[in-house]
Amino acid sequence: MTSNGSSNGVQQGGETATWTVKAGLAQMLKGGVIMDVVTTEHARIAQEAGAVAVMALERVPSDIRAAGGVARMSRVDLIEEIQAAVTIPVMAKARIGHFVEAQVLEAIGVDYIDESEVLTMADDNHHILKHNFKVPFVCGCRDLGEALRRIAEGAAMIRTKGEAGTGDIVEAVRHMRALWGGIRHVQNAPDEELPAIAKNLQSPLALVQEVKRLGRLPVVNFSAGGIATPADAALMMQLGADGVFVGSGIFKSGEGLPEQKQVEAQLKMATAIVKAVTHFNDPAAIADASRGLGDAMRGQSVAQMPVAEQLAGRGN
Amino acid sequence: MANGSTRPVIGVLALQGDFREHEVALAACDVPSIEVRTLAQLDAVDGLIIPGGESTTIARLLLAFELMDPLRERIRAGLPVWGTCAGAILLAKEVSDLDRSPIGVMDIRVERNAFGRQIDSFEADLKVAGVDGPPVHAVFIRAPVIRDAGPGVDVLATLADGRIVAARQGRLLATAFHPELTGDRRLHELFVAIVADAIRTEAA
C-alpha cells in the first residue's frame, strides 16, 4: 500500500498511484453514466448501453433495503466475474471505515473503490484513510464540508449521496444544491473569512482556499441516489454534476415484464440515460432519448420513509 | 476557414470524457474552441480534438448521434484531428478489444488497457519529437499503446521499453497519454500549428 509501487511488472520508469492518476481516472469518466450491476449479464448490458464504468454489487440498493440485514462488500468471485466480462472500469463498494475490505478490493484490482453509505457502516467514527491506497476512492457527500472531509482523507472523486434505492430524486437535488451553495458561499467570501468558514465546515483551510480559487471541488463530482429516468439524469447534470451513478433505476425498470422483454427495457433505459447525460442541455434530445421507454422503477418517496431507513446520514 | 473568420476554430468532441480540460488548454494557447456534439458543430471546426474518456462509450455515441460517418469523411478530406488516449484508440485502423468499429483513419494498431488496471496507471517523462525543451510529463490512465505504425506514420515518442505512445500521420496526431491534465501546453501548440498549416495549405 505504498504510493510508489513498482510491483506490477509493467513499470516504465514512471510512478504509479500518484494523485494525478487517481483523480485523473475520474476526469475520464466525466459526462458519463456509472451503472450498478449484480450479474455479468447486467455488466454486459451496461457496457452495451455505453456506461463509462460499472459498480459490481451483490444487490442493487433497493434490494439491499428490502433484504435488510448487514450489507457488506460483494463476494470476491462475483466482482472477478464482472471484471472478466467487460473492458470498462469496474468499481466496487467497501463499508465505511472497513479498510480491510478496501485492501481486498485493491488486491483483486478493482479500478475504483466506493466507500459507501449504502452498505452497513463498519466504523461509525472514522472513514478509511484513502491516501494509503494505490487504488482511487469515491465517497458520498451531502454538502461541501462532507465533501472536503472525504477529500482530505484521500477521496479522488466525490458523489453527492442522494437517497439510494428509492428512485426519488429529491435528496440528490437537495445534496447537489447544498454542495454548490457551499461552493458559492466560499467563492464570495473575502480571504480573511475563510478560516472561520473552514472551522464551520470542519474541513482543512487549504481545501477551502482551493475551492475558492477553482470555483468548484478540486475533484470530479458525480450525482447518485435516486436517478430513475433520462430527465432525472439531465436534471442532475444541469444542476452541476460531472456525471451520474444510476443504481436501481436501470435494473429495477421494466419490472413485471417477461424476462427477455425486461432485458430489452433495461437496455433501452440504460441507453436513454447515457444519451440524456451527453445532451443534458438539449431538451429535444432528452425527449428523443425518453421516447419508447417502458415503466421506470416504481420507487419509494423519501418523504414517507422513517429517518432510520434513510442511508444518506451514514458517515459524516 | 469553416467559420469565415481569420482565426482557426478548434472543436473538442464533447460526447463524454475530459473535454473541458482540452478547452482550458486551448484557451491558454489563445485559441477559440467549441464543444462538438452535433453535425452542425462538426461542420464549423477547422480541427478536432477527441479527448480522453471511455472509448467504448464514445464509439457508441458517435454512432447513436450519427456522427461516425460524417467525421470519417471529413478526416479523409483533410480535417486535422488529435486523439488523446480514448481519442487515439478511435483514430486507429485496428484496435484490440473494442466492440465497435473505430473511426479507423490512422494507420496504427492500438492495444487498449495495455498496462493493466487502474492501479498500474502511471506518470513518466518522455522525449517527444517535434516538442522542444525539457521532456514532456506524460500521464497514462488505463492507457493504450500503439503496437504497430504503418510506413506513413512518424513515431513521436516511445517508452523506455520501446513501446510507441505518440505518433503522427500527416494531420493526424495520436497520444496514449493526457497532455490536457498537465499545465504543459506544448502538444496543444503543436496541434494548433498542424491546424494552422492545414488552413494555409487549403487556401493556397
Side-chain angles (χ1 to χ4, degrees), chain B residues 142-161:
Chain B
R142 284 173 48 95
V145 294
I146 299 170
R147 279 289 176 196
D148 289 305
V153 178
D154 296 321
V155 172
L156 301 186
T158 58
L159 294 171
D161 64 3

Side-chain angles (χ1 to χ4, degrees), chain B residues 28-70:
Chain B
C29 299
D30 205 21
V31 175
S33 65
I34 64 167
E35 294 180 357
V36 173
R37 293 187 182 85
T38 65
L39 201 52
Q41 290 160 340
L42 178 62
D43 286 342
V45 301
D46 303 297
L48 183 72
I49 294 176
I50 306 179
E54 267 308 310
S55 49
T56 54
T57 303
I58 298 173
R60 280 161 171 74
L61 292 171
L62 281 169
L63 292 165
F65 300 127
E66 293 173 351
L67 291 168
M68 186 68 99
D69 291 336

Side-chain angles (χ1 to χ4, degrees), chain A residues 8 12 14-16 18 20-21 24 27-30 47-48 50-52 87-89 109 111 278-279, chain B residues 15-18 21 37 53-54 56-57 60-61 65 100 112-113 117-118 120-123 142 161 163 178:
Chain A
N8 56 54
Q12 297 300 326
E15 199 182 352
T16 59
T18 61
T20 302
V21 302
Q27 299 285 348
M28 301 310 141
L29 303 175
K30 283 191 304 192
Q47 179 168 282
E48 187 54 39
V52 290
T87 62
I88 56 179
D111 295 298
T278 293
H279 285 290
Chain B
L15 299 176
Q16 189 272 318
D18 71 335
E21 283 61 37
R37 293 187 182 85
E54 267 308 310
T56 54
T57 303
R60 280 161 171 74
L61 292 171
F65 300 127
R100 290 290 188 279
R112 287 180 70 209
N113 296 337
R117 299 186 185 281
Q118 169 61 16
D120 304 311
S121 292
F122 65 100
E123 301 179 58
R142 284 173 48 95
D161 64 3
R163 286 194 280 181
H178 295 280

Side-chain angles (χ1 to χ4, degrees), chain A residues 249-292:
Chain A
I250 290 167
F251 293 106
K252 283 290 161 190
S253 65
E255 280 203 307
L257 294 171
E259 192 183 332
Q260 192 49 43
K261 291 274 182 214
Q262 188 180 11
V263 168
E264 282 166 27
Q266 290 166 347
L267 177 59
K268 258 191 190 166
M269 180 63 82
T271 307
I273 291 175
V274 169
K275 288 181 180 174
V277 167
T278 293
H279 285 290
F280 68 91
N281 261 330
D282 181 345
I286 300 165
D288 249 3
S290 306
R291 209 164 274 131

Side-chain angles (χ1 to χ4, degrees), chain A residues 228-252:
Chain A
T229 66
D232 285 348
L235 173 66
M236 298 318 300
M237 294 298 289
Q238 289 198 26
L239 285 172
D242 290 320
V244 300
F245 284 85
V246 185
S248 321
I250 290 167
F251 293 106
K252 283 290 161 190

Side-chain angles (χ1 to χ4, degrees), chain A residues 118-195:
Chain A
V118 171
L119 305 182
T120 309
M121 280 196 289
D123 186 329
D124 54 9
N125 282 308
H126 310 97
H127 280 68
I128 297 168
L129 187 56
K130 293 163 277 283
H131 285 299
N132 282 350
F133 288 78
K134 293 179 70 167
V135 61
F137 281 73
V138 55
C139 285
C141 79
R142 289 165 294 170
D143 54 34
L144 180 60
E146 199 172 351
L148 296 183
R149 290 193 291 278
R150 296 296 86 77
I151 294 167
E153 295 156 2
M157 178 178 181
I158 291 292
R159 56 176 172 75
T160 48
K161 285 176 171 172
E163 188 58 35
T166 61
D168 185 350
I169 200 69
V170 66
E171 295 300 304
V173 169
R174 186 195 316 284
H175 299 158
M176 189 61 73
R177 285 198 185 278
L179 177 67
W180 280 106
I183 292 169
R184 284 189 294 268
H185 176 60
V186 167
Q187 259 194 300
N188 293 331
D191 288 346
E192 69 271 18
E193 292 182 9
L194 296 185

